[in-house]
């Protein structure tokens, strides 16, 4: 059986500021998300999806 890393969630105080740093650094635009959450990537990406939350 093979395991695959599909994402990681990062808890942060200022979601927009944190995403503003990581998004251009990783060249991954923010995706639509719920209030207080921001996703970089989508579930089908070959790279793990990053989720930032309050």
């Amino acid at each position: 059986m093979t395991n695959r890393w599909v994402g990681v969630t990062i808890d942060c105080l200022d979601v927009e500021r944190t995403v503003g740093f990581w998004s251009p650094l990783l060249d991954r635009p923010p995706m639509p998300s719920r209030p207080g959450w921001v996703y970089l990537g989508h579930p089908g990406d070959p790279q793990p999806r990053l989720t930032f939350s309050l």
Side-chain angles (χ1 to χ4, degrees), residues 11-29:
D11 185 25
C12 51
L13 294 175
D14 189 339
V15 173
E16 296 302 323
R17 184 175 179 196
T18 305
V19 168
F21 172 80
W22 285 106
S23 178
L25 183 70
L26 299 173
D27 193 28
R28 298 181 82 183

Side-chain angles (χ1 to χ4, degrees), residues 8-12 15-16 18-19 22-23 26 33-34 36-40 50-54:
V8 65
T9 300
I10 300 168
D11 185 25
C12 51
V15 173
E16 296 302 323
T18 305
V19 168
W22 285 106
S23 178
L26 299 173
S33 58
R34 301 180 298 183
W37 295 72
V38 177
Y39 304 116
L40 297 183
L50 297 177
T51 305
F52 298 89
S53 71
L54 291 173

